[in-house]
Amino acid sequence: MKNLMQCKFGRSYIISGFDESQPFKIRRRLCELGFTQGQEVRLVRKSLLGKAYLVELRGYTLSVRSTVAKAVIVE
Amino acid sequence: MIKVNLVGNPNTGKTTLYNALTKSHEHVGNWHGVTVEEKAKKYEFAGKEIELVDLPGIYSLCNLSFEEGVGVDYILKDPSVLIVNICDASNLGRNLYLTLSLMELGANVILAVNQIDKVPICKTDYKKLSGLLGIPVVAIDAGKKVGLSELNEEIINYKPHDKYNLPYLKKLHLNEINLPKIENDTFFKIKLLENDEKTLNKLNLKENIVKPDIEGVARARYGYIDELLHICSTKHTKVYGRSRVDKFLMNRFLALPIFICMLALTFYLTFFSLGAWCSDGLNWLLDKCIGTPLINLFAGAFGAGSWVVSLIETAVVGGVGSVLGFLPQVALLFFFLSLLEDSGYLARVAFAIEDILGKVGLSGKSVYTLLMGFGCSTTAVLTARNMEDKNSKIKTGLLTPYMSCSAKFPIYAVLGGAFFGASNIWVILGLYLLGVVVAIFMSYILEKTVLKSKEQTFILEFPPYHSMTPKRVLSVLLDNMKQFVVRVGSLIIAMNVIVWLLSNFTFTLSYVPSSGGASMLETLGRFLAPVFAPLGFNNWALVSALIAGLVAKEVIVSSIAMFNGVGDASNVLIGESLKDPSSVIFFAMPSMVVSYLVFCLLYFPCLATASVLSKEIGKKWTFIGIVLELVVAYVVTFIVYNIARLIELYGAGKILLILLTISIVVGSIIIIIKRLKRKNGCAFCKKCDGHCGKNKKMR
């Protein structure tokens, strides 16, 4: 059990849930974008200072801030 | 008449389809959230009138940013309107999530699957999909205008649907939710599970009566989508938005330098090489083919020396000519900005710059607004709706005018060109940089004081790279040229005539050149000029030009041409007149020119921008923003002018040495103060006050 920020780059993980302490609005948006339980995600790269992450899931790519990545719990 | 709403995820080609169907030229780009407000236009198909409404992109019927709110509210205002839901074929799964939300609403939906990529990532059987979903599905390619007539047929022949069959709803146990009897309760119950504030307000609920379960809702919807795609689609073969070029362009350390190089190249091509040649050619053409014959014509009709000839010569030929000559450069600048946007590179830039902008309370997404600000602040300010919270939106809006817009470039080119010649390129580069630096600095100050922004998510989808078709290149260039010519032909001419009248007639309405005395502008300008004495330009004409420039910055150059009586479109002549001590506007020292340019860069957003700003962020903040700009402009100009003057007096080397010494001294004082503050804290880690445990072991 760890959050997406602690993941290794280039490896696939399975989403197991969300950090409930994160704002509901952000969790809702992540759900809408396809971050659902059992979904596979992959961390692609991070920005220079590590504030932003690039994530792949459901066959597309998107960027999120590190605080958002922290909200996703993976296995 | 049939009304149709165009609805879909961001960057799926809604506006492209809108342009193709209604033959419009709305702004499109390969970026998330180009359209920020609804746009409607009517067109005819097979004798029937159809009104198409283009809406900002949304992911679901719950909004996170402001422009999404516009889209959601518009749909919910009248859910019975026919909806064309446009989906990206390469990312169908994610796009269908919105489709399901719309079907839960019970809306009349036609699915239009847009093939953006040339090589499809996966193949889908749309007939099967249509049968399973129970809504019409049309395959289109909006960019190439394929499948549009089929879509139009579907719109015209649309029959109101039976109740949709959405099997996944059973999993949500909606029956267990007790709502007062309202129409369409399924939709509202789901919205309650999604904890949507707007729905809570609509149902007059202070608190949600159910436990929000967004994960359950999403799982159910995506589960159904996966089932659908399993039946009618082949598996994805590659990832959407991933490109090999990204390995280089988005390298952690190279991304930012590459972007800066690209910007520098853009400005160099626009303003110095390609653009400058075109501009010179156009100037010559304007002067020889239109200007001189026009003056001769009027001189013949009214006699040389009459006020009509003077009006034509200075206000129209000189004034307008001096601005119109910049047509190629302005068109090129807008073209390069569209190229950045269309290629899909902008999302990568946003990612690279997120670190910096995040620090000052913005988000990487602001880069779009700020970059558009280099073109025109008026349209750029609107795109601040991309932001997710109010304070970031206000901040982004307030910062946009600091970006040096295309209307300011003629001032730099004419004034700077005359005094700095070939090295003007560095002056202009410095001005652009100064604008960016001041904006980032102001953002930092605002973030730390009154406009603290909430946490941004920076959720941004990465589009694949696209190349521009020759047709698109041509249409972007022509559109921008047309807009510029219209602007010069209406607003700039009108302003020039007004400035000419005010500067050639006294308050008693006598014509100055024949009767003498001070013109209206001269009286006003002389009254205000002393304020600007510390900045090095207490000249009434320069101050009057600034006042005229409130309406549009291009007028500053044309006013200067008028005051100096240059009846010629040539910018070189205007420049020469500025060096002549006998003309009205005369710069004795280059430092004064620098000072004037800096003030022009920073002092005021044009009136059009101010009015858009007041609509977007409210009157109060617009007022504060303008006052702030005036103060910042005055202070920065004062500093720049004095440094420039000192350099002139003592030479660059000495002044640089002094500045360096000062910064070293100040820097070491700051470091010493920080050290002293830390003395009481922990010596082993900088953050704690001695609770980290490391020092205990040492003891």
Side-chain angles (χ1 to χ4, degrees), chain B residues 91 258 267 305 343 362 420 447 452 455 510 522 571 576 683:
Chain B
N91 196 359
I258 289 175
F267 286 122
S343 60
L362 297 173
F420 304 105
E447 169 74 15
K452 179 145 183 51
E455 190 63 59
S510 65
E522 193 175 345
N571 294 324
E576 287 307 316

Side-chain angles (χ1 to χ4, degrees), chain A residues 32 48-49 56 58-59 65, chain B residues 60 222 226 240 242 354:
Chain A
E32 290 163 2
L48 184 59
L49 303 179
E56 270 175 19
R58 300 196 72 94
R65 203 170 256 199
Chain B
S60 72
Y222 270 116
D226 287 338
Y240 184 72
R242 194 207 281 169
E354 156 76 11

Side-chain angles (χ1 to χ4, degrees), chain B residues 267-458:
Chain B
F267 286 122
Y268 181 73
L269 281 177
T270 317
F271 296 140
F272 293 98
S273 54
L274 191 61
W277 301 327
C278 296
S279 226
D280 287 344
L282 184 68
N283 258 326
W284 182 83
L285 217 77
L286 281 174
D287 210 41
K288 291 284 168 290
C289 302
I290 304 174
T292 322
L294 203 68
I295 296 171
N296 288 341
L297 183 77
F298 278 89
F302 293 91
S306 89
W307 68 267
V308 180
V309 178
S310 164
L311 173 71
I312 297 293
E313 193 175 341
T314 53
V316 180
V317 175
V320 172
S322 64
V323 179
L324 199 59
F326 288 97
L327 171 72
Q329 287 168 322
V330 171
L332 263 182
L333 178 65
F334 277 102
F335 167 71
F336 281 121
L337 290 179
S338 319
L339 190 67
L340 277 181
E341 203 187 329
D342 265 31
S343 60
Y345 179 57
L346 207 53
R348 277 81 181 170
V349 173
F351 186 76
I353 215 163
E354 156 76 11
D355 286 334
I356 298 175
L357 291 181
K359 271 233 152 64
V360 295
L362 297 173
S363 143
K365 277 193 205 171
S366 319
V367 83
Y368 180 58
T369 307
L370 299 181
L371 211 59
M372 297 290 283
F374 284 133
C376 173
S377 336
T378 317
T379 45
V381 163
L382 273 178
T383 60
R385 288 188 192 172
N386 274 331
M387 306 312 297
E388 288 154 20
D389 72 300
K390 211 174 164 200
N391 282 356
S392 315
K393 184 184 159 188
I394 294 175
K395 233 173 344 177
T396 311
L398 288 183
L399 299 185
T400 313
Y402 290 110
M403 299 288 123
S404 180
C405 76
S406 63
K408 291 171 193 163
F409 178 71
I411 317 172
Y412 311 154
V414 173
L415 270 63
F419 286 86
F420 304 105
S423 50
N424 192 25
I425 184 168
W426 300 109
V427 175
I428 294 182
L429 187 74
L431 285 166
Y432 273 93
L433 270 180
L434 184 69
V436 175
V437 169
V438 170
I440 288 179
F441 181 72
M442 289 305 292
S443 172
Y444 184 75
I445 299 277
L446 288 172
E447 169 74 15
K448 291 288 168 211
T449 53
V450 277
L451 281 174
K452 179 145 183 51
S453 50
K454 285 193 196 109
E455 190 63 59
Q456 299 274 328
T457 59
F458 188 53

Side-chain angles (χ1 to χ4, degrees), chain A residues 24 28-29 31-34 42 45-49 51 56 58-65, chain B residues 60 68 94 194-195 222 226 240 242 250 252-253 354-355 362 455-460 462:
Chain A
F24 188 83
R28 182 168 69 199
R29 176 49 52 92
C31 281
E32 290 163 2
L33 289 168
R42 217 166 69 89
R45 65 175 75 237
K46 64 176 175 181
S47 63
L48 184 59
L49 303 179
K51 298 270 187 210
E56 270 175 19
R58 300 196 72 94
Y60 76 100
T61 316
L62 86 167
S63 71
V64 294
R65 203 170 256 199
Chain B
S60 72
E68 289 171 11
R94 226 272 324 285
E194 291 182 325
N195 200 21
Y222 270 116
D226 287 338
Y240 184 72
R242 194 207 281 169
M250 286 183 59
R252 260 181 92 184
F253 304 101
E354 156 76 11
D355 286 334
L362 297 173
E455 190 63 59
Q456 299 274 328
T457 59
F458 188 53
I459 292 176
L460 183 70
F462 267 51

Side-chain angles (χ1 to χ4, degrees), chain B residues 50 53 55 64 76 103 175 202-203 215 218 244 264 318 350 380 390 396 400 402 457 521 594-595 628 630 639 654:
Chain B
I50 301 170
V53 183
L55 295 172
L64 192 64
L76 295 182
M103 288 169 75
N175 320 341
K202 213 175 189 172
L203 297 174
E215 288 168 53
R244 276 191 204 145
K390 211 174 164 200
T396 311
T400 313
Y402 290 110
T457 59
L521 264 189
V594 171
S595 157
L628 213 58
L630 284 171
I639 296 170
K654 275 183 195 167

Side-chain angles (χ1 to χ4, degrees), chain B residues 550-581:
Chain B
L550 296 180
V551 179
K553 296 278 163 67
E554 293 100 330
V555 183
I556 294 181
V557 165
S558 51
S559 304
I560 289 174
M562 267 188 269
F563 292 135
N564 276 2
V566 183
D568 193 309
S570 160
N571 294 324
V572 180
L573 281 183
I574 301 174
E576 287 307 316
S577 78
L578 294 173
K579 289 181 186 166
D580 179 5

